Amino acid sequence: MVLGTSKQIVSARATDKQIQAVSQDGGIVTGLLSFALDEKIIEGAVVAGPGEELWKPKPMVAMSADEIIAAAGTKYTFSPNVMMLKKAVRQYGIEKLGTVAIPCQTMGIRKMQSYPFGVRFLADKLKLLVGIYCMENFPFASLETFINEKLGLSTDLVEKMDIGKGKLWIYTQDETFSLPLKETHGYEQAGCNICKDYVAELADVSTGSVGSPDGWSTVITRTDDGDTIFQQAVDAGIFEIKDIDSVKPGLPLLEKLAKSKADKGAKESERRRELGLPVPW
Amino acid sequence: MSLISKVKRFLRIETKPTKDDEEDKPTESKITGASTTEKIKKPVNLEDVGASKQEVEKVAEENAKPRIGYIHLSGCTGDGMALTENYDILAELLTNMVDIVYGQTLVDVWDMPEMDLALVEGSVCLQDEHSMHELQEVREKAKLVCAFGSCAANGCFTRYARGGQQARPDHESFLPIGDLIDVDLAIPGCPPSPEIIAKTVVALIQEDMDYLQPMIDLAATTEGCGCDLQKYIVNNALCTGCGTCAMACQTRAVTMVEGRPAFNSDRCIKCGICRIQCPRSWWPEERIKEDLGL
């Protein structure tokens, strides 16, 4: 199936007003990780926290719901979260760990769990892996090009960034700017072009805005544990949910984007293989 | 519960049930650790089902414990120690699952016997006649030779050796064993994690060749270095800045700078783990999905 293995697919959003105020869409990652933390399912989570420079995130170990909320929102450049997993276990002494990861990061983590050649006593500590949908990621200099050069704005003024409805949206305190996605093409990192995974198929729970109305996210639960934790959070009132078939644009759009990324990735892999370059799939 | 399933439960590698035995699916939860169902296998008496004596003997022979040897060349014993860090299963492993038939300090045997598997730790010193001889003998006596740890697999730290030191200033050239003999599989790592050692041993006992394929593939290369990340991953447009290499590095030689690995050659021990763990160097998709039950 183009969306990977799933237990349930729903449209959801966090009920907490504080989370709604800071979250990218439905606040699923923030809500789920803080719920897991409060319920002691995890003792800490590796998230993309604020870095020294605005919009340049840095992986951080969040030990409280407040720290998780402080890291809410999508950053469209690198945050090598996987790097921090070992630190979280070794230096923070976390025995039950959660994290948020884009598909390529999910793959690094899962490969480490199945084949932990040089990684000691970490594979079994990861209890909750929340994956986020991802079409591509940008070097920071690409973001600067969009914001500073193409839109003529100062990065410091940007309050929120978003990609949706065919555009990159830049929000300042009182204005909204947009850039058609064809203006961003070619600025993504090259490694993304062979990626076939849009919906984080190997996560415990995957989420992203596509398929759901504004302010909501489409949630796919995949593993038994992921499904259980998400259901517990729904039962606890952390999330309100809607039948995915009842919302617009719904699953067809998500499936379309997932398929287009899979097709493009396969095609680029093939192209590189013909050139004699190494590709992992 | 059988020994093997105990070990597999310990390692969290319970095999995914096939569609046919979906109902027997163990529902152990990672969160609660509770198991609600357990698969019970009834032993079958072969003679009851009409098997001949020869057939019974053949099965008994096939199920005999694998005979394992441990050969220590130029390494620090860290790999052998990592094996012993499988505290929970070590006693059972050594008592009931394998026969350790050869190994300095482990077994009081002077002559190297025939072995099903030889774990070779350490690189081999070209100027050390005894090591060179032992390595050749291992290849003759063992059905499978495993380069156990990065020194044996790709030279690792001993790549920096250049002789001129006491007690043997003449011992200067150290090579991964694959440069001298055919190696069947490699378990790199400095040291390899206790988990990968246990998983490999279980896979060997069960002849789970799918799981072992990456170890077989890794035996084909005797090179490894932090600069592999730049050369094989970044230069080939494969890096996505996920950070797995920096996480995996066992000496903190790899950091992430502007979303790409930066490596400190002063810290790098050339174990090769950064590239081996990279999801873009090789990708065991089927196995991962099986392990996750997806």
Side-chain angles (χ1 to χ4, degrees), chain B residues 22-59:
Chain B
E22 200 70 54
E23 284 171 10
D24 287 333
K25 190 179 175 190
T27 52
E28 189 190 8
S29 159
K30 265 194 272 175
I31 305 160
T32 61
S35 172
T36 50
T37 59
E38 219 167 73
K39 209 162 146 189
I40 300 157
K41 270 192 191 154
K42 280 186 195 145
V44 180
N45 188 330
L46 288 172
E47 280 175 303
D48 288 350
V49 295
S52 71
K53 197 174 170 220
Q54 285 86 346
E55 279 169 325
V56 173
E57 275 169 5
K58 188 164 173 275
V59 170

mmCIF file of all heavy atoms in Angstrom, chain B residues 22-59:
data_model
loop_
_atom_site.group_PDB
_atom_site.id
_atom_site.type_symbol
_atom_site.label_atom_id
_atom_site.label_comp_id
_atom_site.label_asym_id
_atom_site.label_seq_id
_atom_site.Cartn_x
_atom_site.Cartn_y
_atom_site.Cartn_z
ATOM 1 N N GLU B 22 -1.280 -16.594 12.204
ATOM 2 C CA GLU B 22 -1.602 -15.259 12.705
ATOM 3 C C GLU B 22 -2.232 -15.329 14.096
ATOM 4 O O GLU B 22 -1.994 -14.493 14.941
ATOM 5 C CB GLU B 22 -2.550 -14.570 11.719
ATOM 6 C CG GLU B 22 -2.600 -13.051 11.837
ATOM 7 C CD GLU B 22 -1.312 -12.378 11.358
ATOM 8 O OE1 GLU B 22 -0.907 -12.640 10.228
ATOM 9 O OE2 GLU B 22 -0.746 -11.603 12.140
ATOM 10 N N GLU B 23 -3.028 -16.393 14.327
ATOM 11 C CA GLU B 23 -3.731 -16.490 15.615
ATOM 12 C C GLU B 23 -2.786 -16.740 16.770
ATOM 13 O O GLU B 23 -3.077 -16.418 17.914
ATOM 14 C CB GLU B 23 -4.778 -17.608 15.553
ATOM 15 C CG GLU B 23 -6.012 -17.180 14.764
ATOM 16 C CD GLU B 23 -6.945 -18.336 14.500
ATOM 17 O OE1 GLU B 23 -6.729 -19.406 15.096
ATOM 18 O OE2 GLU B 23 -7.872 -18.155 13.709
ATOM 19 N N ASP B 24 -1.646 -17.318 16.453
ATOM 20 C CA ASP B 24 -0.680 -17.613 17.508
ATOM 21 C C ASP B 24 0.220 -16.430 17.802
ATOM 22 O O ASP B 24 1.114 -16.502 18.624
ATOM 23 C CB ASP B 24 0.214 -18.782 17.084
ATOM 24 C CG ASP B 24 -0.551 -20.089 17.124
ATOM 25 O OD1 ASP B 24 -1.506 -20.187 17.920
ATOM 26 O OD2 ASP B 24 -0.192 -20.978 16.369
ATOM 27 N N LYS B 25 -0.055 -15.342 17.129
ATOM 28 C CA LYS B 25 0.830 -14.176 17.201
ATOM 29 C C LYS B 25 1.116 -13.752 18.643
ATOM 30 O O LYS B 25 0.190 -13.472 19.403
ATOM 31 C CB LYS B 25 0.138 -13.022 16.483
ATOM 32 C CG LYS B 25 1.018 -11.827 16.267
ATOM 33 C CD LYS B 25 0.222 -10.777 15.525
ATOM 34 C CE LYS B 25 1.030 -9.522 15.392
ATOM 35 N NZ LYS B 25 0.233 -8.425 14.892
ATOM 36 N N PRO B 26 2.380 -13.750 19.039
ATOM 37 C CA PRO B 26 2.673 -13.290 20.392
ATOM 38 C C PRO B 26 2.389 -11.792 20.483
ATOM 39 O O PRO B 26 2.754 -11.033 19.586
ATOM 40 C CB PRO B 26 4.167 -13.577 20.578
ATOM 41 C CG PRO B 26 4.686 -13.904 19.227
ATOM 42 C CD PRO B 26 3.564 -14.015 18.257
ATOM 43 N N THR B 27 1.718 -11.381 21.516
ATOM 44 C CA THR B 27 1.330 -9.980 21.599
ATOM 45 C C THR B 27 2.082 -9.266 22.698
ATOM 46 O O THR B 27 1.530 -8.468 23.438
ATOM 47 C CB THR B 27 -0.177 -9.849 21.842
ATOM 48 O OG1 THR B 27 -0.502 -10.659 22.968
ATOM 49 C CG2 THR B 27 -0.978 -10.297 20.655
ATOM 50 N N GLU B 28 3.332 -9.617 22.813
ATOM 51 C CA GLU B 28 4.129 -8.950 23.826
ATOM 52 C C GLU B 28 4.216 -7.460 23.517
ATOM 53 O O GLU B 28 4.466 -7.057 22.398
ATOM 54 C CB GLU B 28 5.535 -9.539 23.856
ATOM 55 C CG GLU B 28 6.317 -9.020 25.039
ATOM 56 C CD GLU B 28 7.786 -9.385 24.954
ATOM 57 O OE1 GLU B 28 8.219 -9.902 23.938
ATOM 58 O OE2 GLU B 28 8.471 -9.116 25.940
ATOM 59 N N SER B 29 3.976 -6.662 24.512
ATOM 60 C CA SER B 29 4.024 -5.224 24.296
ATOM 61 C C SER B 29 5.337 -4.684 24.798
ATOM 62 O O SER B 29 5.806 -5.038 25.874
ATOM 63 C CB SER B 29 2.877 -4.570 25.045
ATOM 64 O OG SER B 29 3.162 -3.212 25.250
ATOM 65 N N LYS B 30 5.963 -3.835 23.997
ATOM 66 C CA LYS B 30 7.222 -3.222 24.404
ATOM 67 C C LYS B 30 7.003 -2.331 25.617
ATOM 68 O O LYS B 30 7.891 -2.074 26.392
ATOM 69 C CB LYS B 30 7.783 -2.381 23.250
ATOM 70 C CG LYS B 30 8.786 -3.110 22.384
ATOM 71 C CD LYS B 30 9.541 -2.143 21.508
ATOM 72 C CE LYS B 30 8.795 -1.907 20.216
ATOM 73 N NZ LYS B 30 9.421 -0.898 19.386
ATOM 74 N N ILE B 31 5.772 -1.848 25.743
ATOM 75 C CA ILE B 31 5.492 -0.890 26.813
ATOM 76 C C ILE B 31 5.293 -1.600 28.144
ATOM 77 O O ILE B 31 5.871 -1.251 29.164
ATOM 78 C CB ILE B 31 4.240 -0.074 26.479
ATOM 79 C CG1 ILE B 31 4.410 0.585 25.119
ATOM 80 C CG2 ILE B 31 3.971 0.985 27.541
ATOM 81 C CD1 ILE B 31 3.109 0.987 24.517
ATOM 82 N N THR B 32 4.471 -2.643 28.131
ATOM 83 C CA THR B 32 4.158 -3.296 29.393
ATOM 84 C C THR B 32 5.030 -4.524 29.638
ATOM 85 O O THR B 32 5.167 -4.972 30.769
ATOM 86 C CB THR B 32 2.698 -3.762 29.410
ATOM 87 O OG1 THR B 32 2.537 -4.711 28.345
ATOM 88 C CG2 THR B 32 1.754 -2.601 29.203
ATOM 89 N N GLY B 33 5.618 -5.055 28.569
ATOM 90 C CA GLY B 33 6.428 -6.253 28.719
ATOM 91 C C GLY B 33 5.588 -7.505 28.942
ATOM 92 O O GLY B 33 6.094 -8.593 29.130
ATOM 93 N N ALA B 34 4.269 -7.351 28.919
ATOM 94 C CA ALA B 34 3.404 -8.481 29.189
ATOM 95 C C ALA B 34 3.168 -9.281 27.915
ATOM 96 O O ALA B 34 3.074 -8.744 26.835
ATOM 97 C CB ALA B 34 2.079 -8.008 29.751
ATOM 98 N N SER B 35 3.072 -10.568 28.083
ATOM 99 C CA SER B 35 2.796 -11.422 26.931
ATOM 100 C C SER B 35 1.497 -12.155 27.202
ATOM 101 O O SER B 35 1.286 -12.703 28.271
ATOM 102 C CB SER B 35 3.937 -12.419 26.751
ATOM 103 O OG SER B 35 3.578 -13.341 25.761
ATOM 104 N N THR B 36 0.613 -12.144 26.231
ATOM 105 C CA THR B 36 -0.680 -12.765 26.477
ATOM 106 C C THR B 36 -0.780 -14.162 25.876
ATOM 107 O O THR B 36 -1.470 -15.012 26.401
ATOM 108 C CB THR B 36 -1.818 -11.902 25.916
ATOM 109 O OG1 THR B 36 -1.501 -11.565 24.573
ATOM 110 C CG2 THR B 36 -1.997 -10.656 26.735
ATOM 111 N N THR B 37 -0.098 -14.377 24.780
ATOM 112 C CA THR B 37 -0.143 -15.716 24.217
ATOM 113 C C THR B 37 1.276 -16.200 23.994
ATOM 114 O O THR B 37 2.197 -15.425 23.863
ATOM 115 C CB THR B 37 -0.864 -15.748 22.854
ATOM 116 O OG1 THR B 37 -0.184 -14.889 21.964
ATOM 117 C CG2 THR B 37 -2.317 -15.367 22.986
ATOM 118 N N GLU B 38 1.424 -17.483 23.962
ATOM 119 C CA GLU B 38 2.743 -18.045 23.751
ATOM 120 C C GLU B 38 2.611 -19.218 22.801
ATOM 121 O O GLU B 38 1.712 -20.040 22.926
ATOM 122 C CB GLU B 38 3.273 -18.537 25.095
ATOM 123 C CG GLU B 38 4.731 -18.279 25.273
ATOM 124 C CD GLU B 38 5.108 -18.490 26.712
ATOM 125 O OE1 GLU B 38 5.145 -19.648 27.124
ATOM 126 O OE2 GLU B 38 5.350 -17.484 27.409
ATOM 127 N N LYS B 39 3.488 -19.233 21.845
ATOM 128 C CA LYS B 39 3.397 -20.301 20.863
ATOM 129 C C LYS B 39 4.044 -21.557 21.435
ATOM 130 O O LYS B 39 5.153 -21.525 21.942
ATOM 131 C CB LYS B 39 4.144 -19.860 19.612
ATOM 132 C CG LYS B 39 3.596 -20.461 18.372
ATOM 133 C CD LYS B 39 4.093 -19.644 17.209
ATOM 134 C CE LYS B 39 4.327 -20.547 16.028
ATOM 135 N NZ LYS B 39 5.011 -19.827 14.975
ATOM 136 N N ILE B 40 3.321 -22.631 21.394
ATOM 137 C CA ILE B 40 3.864 -23.879 21.921
ATOM 138 C C ILE B 40 4.136 -24.833 20.774
ATOM 139 O O ILE B 40 3.267 -25.109 19.957
ATOM 140 C CB ILE B 40 2.871 -24.529 22.908
ATOM 141 C CG1 ILE B 40 2.616 -23.577 24.074
ATOM 142 C CG2 ILE B 40 3.413 -25.848 23.425
ATOM 143 C CD1 ILE B 40 1.322 -23.815 24.782
ATOM 144 N N LYS B 41 5.363 -25.306 20.735
ATOM 145 C CA LYS B 41 5.708 -26.271 19.688
ATOM 146 C C LYS B 41 5.803 -27.646 20.305
ATOM 147 O O LYS B 41 6.555 -27.856 21.248
ATOM 148 C CB LYS B 41 7.034 -25.877 19.031
ATOM 149 C CG LYS B 41 6.870 -24.955 17.853
ATOM 150 C CD LYS B 41 8.185 -24.864 17.108
ATOM 151 C CE LYS B 41 8.088 -23.735 16.091
ATOM 152 N NZ LYS B 41 9.377 -23.185 15.774
ATOM 153 N N LYS B 42 5.041 -28.582 19.765
ATOM 154 C CA LYS B 42 5.111 -29.941 20.289
ATOM 155 C C LYS B 42 6.283 -30.665 19.642
ATOM 156 O O LYS B 42 6.420 -30.647 18.427
ATOM 157 C CB LYS B 42 3.809 -30.672 19.975
ATOM 158 C CG LYS B 42 2.690 -30.321 20.949
ATOM 159 C CD LYS B 42 1.474 -31.171 20.672
ATOM 160 C CE LYS B 42 0.264 -30.577 21.388
ATOM 161 N NZ LYS B 42 -0.959 -30.732 20.643
ATOM 162 N N PRO B 43 7.093 -31.332 20.471
ATOM 163 C CA PRO B 43 8.188 -32.086 19.861
ATOM 164 C C PRO B 43 7.618 -33.280 19.089
ATOM 165 O O PRO B 43 6.645 -33.892 19.509
ATOM 166 C CB PRO B 43 9.015 -32.534 21.059
ATOM 167 C CG PRO B 43 8.111 -32.451 22.237
ATOM 168 C CD PRO B 43 7.047 -31.459 21.920
ATOM 169 N N VAL B 44 8.204 -33.562 17.962
ATOM 170 C CA VAL B 44 7.742 -34.703 17.164
ATOM 171 C C VAL B 44 8.764 -35.820 17.267
ATOM 172 O O VAL B 44 9.948 -35.614 17.032
ATOM 173 C CB VAL B 44 7.578 -34.278 15.692
ATOM 174 C CG1 VAL B 44 7.101 -35.465 14.862
ATOM 175 C CG2 VAL B 44 6.593 -33.126 15.580
ATOM 176 N N ASN B 45 8.308 -36.981 17.666
ATOM 177 C CA ASN B 45 9.192 -38.144 17.697
ATOM 178 C C ASN B 45 9.274 -38.697 16.283
ATOM 179 O O ASN B 45 8.295 -39.193 15.736
ATOM 180 C CB ASN B 45 8.638 -39.193 18.667
ATOM 181 C CG ASN B 45 9.631 -40.317 18.872
ATOM 182 O OD1 ASN B 45 10.410 -40.631 17.967
ATOM 183 N ND2 ASN B 45 9.596 -40.901 20.052
ATOM 184 N N LEU B 46 10.466 -38.605 15.704
ATOM 185 C CA LEU B 46 10.603 -38.979 14.302
ATOM 186 C C LEU B 46 10.277 -40.444 14.052
ATOM 187 O O LEU B 46 9.736 -40.804 13.020
ATOM 188 C CB LEU B 46 12.019 -38.646 13.806
ATOM 189 C CG LEU B 46 12.298 -37.161 13.619
ATOM 190 C CD1 LEU B 46 13.763 -36.961 13.319
ATOM 191 C CD2 LEU B 46 11.447 -36.589 12.500
ATOM 192 N N GLU B 47 10.635 -41.306 15.035
ATOM 193 C CA GLU B 47 10.370 -42.733 14.827
ATOM 194 C C GLU B 47 8.873 -43.017 14.847
ATOM 195 O O GLU B 47 8.386 -43.914 14.181
ATOM 196 C CB GLU B 47 11.130 -43.566 15.856
ATOM 197 C CG GLU B 47 12.591 -43.704 15.425
ATOM 198 C CD GLU B 47 13.454 -44.417 16.433
ATOM 199 O OE1 GLU B 47 13.511 -43.954 17.586
ATOM 200 O OE2 GLU B 47 14.056 -45.425 16.053
ATOM 201 N N ASP B 48 8.135 -42.215 15.620
ATOM 202 C CA ASP B 48 6.678 -42.338 15.633
ATOM 203 C C ASP B 48 6.083 -42.076 14.253
ATOM 204 O O ASP B 48 5.043 -42.604 13.907
ATOM 205 C CB ASP B 48 6.046 -41.355 16.630
ATOM 206 C CG ASP B 48 6.320 -41.789 18.058
ATOM 207 O OD1 ASP B 48 6.819 -42.921 18.232
ATOM 208 O OD2 ASP B 48 6.036 -41.001 18.979
ATOM 209 N N VAL B 49 6.732 -41.176 13.538
ATOM 210 C CA VAL B 49 6.176 -40.840 12.230
ATOM 211 C C VAL B 49 6.832 -41.662 11.120
ATOM 212 O O VAL B 49 6.755 -41.318 9.952
ATOM 213 C CB VAL B 49 6.269 -39.321 11.916
ATOM 214 C CG1 VAL B 49 5.408 -38.529 12.865
ATOM 215 C CG2 VAL B 49 7.703 -38.836 11.961
ATOM 216 N N GLY B 50 7.502 -42.724 11.510
ATOM 217 C CA GLY B 50 7.982 -43.687 10.528
ATOM 218 C C GLY B 50 9.341 -43.393 9.920
ATOM 219 O O GLY B 50 9.646 -43.872 8.846
ATOM 220 N N ALA B 51 10.158 -42.591 10.620
ATOM 221 C CA ALA B 51 11.476 -42.285 10.072
ATOM 222 C C ALA B 51 12.437 -43.425 10.389
ATOM 223 O O ALA B 51 12.334 -44.064 11.426
ATOM 224 C CB ALA B 51 11.998 -40.990 10.668
ATOM 225 N N SER B 52 13.377 -43.671 9.504
ATOM 226 C CA SER B 52 14.344 -44.743 9.726
ATOM 227 C C SER B 52 15.390 -44.296 10.731
ATOM 228 O O SER B 52 15.523 -43.103 11.012
ATOM 229 C CB SER B 52 15.035 -45.109 8.410
ATOM 230 O OG SER B 52 15.909 -44.060 8.056
ATOM 231 N N LYS B 53 16.155 -45.274 11.251
ATOM 232 C CA LYS B 53 17.187 -44.960 12.235
ATOM 233 C C LYS B 53 18.221 -43.999 11.647
ATOM 234 O O LYS B 53 18.649 -43.053 12.296
ATOM 235 C CB LYS B 53 17.861 -46.265 12.679
ATOM 236 C CG LYS B 53 18.641 -46.084 13.969
ATOM 237 C CD LYS B 53 19.180 -47.405 14.470
ATOM 238 C CE LYS B 53 20.141 -47.133 15.621
ATOM 239 N NZ LYS B 53 21.316 -47.992 15.577
ATOM 240 N N GLN B 54 18.577 -44.261 10.394
ATOM 241 C CA GLN B 54 19.567 -43.397 9.741
ATOM 242 C C GLN B 54 19.071 -41.953 9.670
ATOM 243 O O GLN B 54 19.818 -41.020 9.902
ATOM 244 C CB GLN B 54 19.876 -43.895 8.319
ATOM 245 C CG GLN B 54 20.754 -45.131 8.279
ATOM 246 C CD GLN B 54 19.922 -46.408 8.396
ATOM 247 O OE1 GLN B 54 18.741 -46.370 8.767
ATOM 248 N NE2 GLN B 54 20.547 -47.537 8.119
ATOM 249 N N GLU B 55 17.787 -41.836 9.348
ATOM 250 C CA GLU B 55 17.217 -40.481 9.241
ATOM 251 C C GLU B 55 17.232 -39.765 10.588
ATOM 252 O O GLU B 55 17.515 -38.581 10.672
ATOM 253 C CB GLU B 55 15.785 -40.548 8.689
ATOM 254 C CG GLU B 55 15.764 -40.690 7.171
ATOM 255 C CD GLU B 55 14.378 -41.012 6.632
ATOM 256 O OE1 GLU B 55 13.626 -41.746 7.300
ATOM 257 O OE2 GLU B 55 14.065 -40.512 5.551
ATOM 258 N N VAL B 56 16.922 -40.545 11.631
ATOM 259 C CA VAL B 56 16.929 -39.956 12.972
ATOM 260 C C VAL B 56 18.337 -39.483 13.335
ATOM 261 O O VAL B 56 18.532 -38.374 13.830
ATOM 262 C CB VAL B 56 16.429 -40.978 14.028
ATOM 263 C CG1 VAL B 56 16.595 -40.407 15.431
ATOM 264 C CG2 VAL B 56 14.978 -41.332 13.759
ATOM 265 N N GLU B 57 19.318 -40.338 13.025
ATOM 266 C CA GLU B 57 20.698 -39.962 13.341
ATOM 267 C C GLU B 57 21.125 -38.716 12.565
ATOM 268 O O GLU B 57 21.832 -37.869 13.084
ATOM 269 C CB GLU B 57 21.640 -41.135 13.023
ATOM 270 C CG GLU B 57 21.734 -42.121 14.171
ATOM 271 C CD GLU B 57 22.446 -43.398 13.759
ATOM 272 O OE1 GLU B 57 22.952 -43.475 12.618
ATOM 273 O OE2 GLU B 57 22.484 -44.323 14.595
ATOM 274 N N LYS B 58 20.642 -38.655 11.321
ATOM 275 C CA LYS B 58 21.004 -37.517 10.486
ATOM 276 C C LYS B 58 20.463 -36.219 11.095
ATOM 277 O O LYS B 58 21.160 -35.217 11.197
ATOM 278 C CB LYS B 58 20.435 -37.709 9.079
ATOM 279 C CG LYS B 58 20.895 -36.685 8.077
ATOM 280 C CD LYS B 58 20.604 -37.178 6.653
ATOM 281 C CE LYS B 58 20.890 -36.090 5.650
ATOM 282 N NZ LYS B 58 19.774 -35.171 5.467
ATOM 283 N N VAL B 59 19.191 -36.295 11.543
ATOM 284 C CA VAL B 59 18.580 -35.104 12.150
ATOM 285 C C VAL B 59 19.326 -34.713 13.416
ATOM 286 O O VAL B 59 19.623 -33.551 13.662
ATOM 287 C CB VAL B 59 17.079 -35.355 12.452
ATOM 288 C CG1 VAL B 59 16.519 -34.216 13.293
ATOM 289 C CG2 VAL B 59 16.311 -35.498 11.155
#
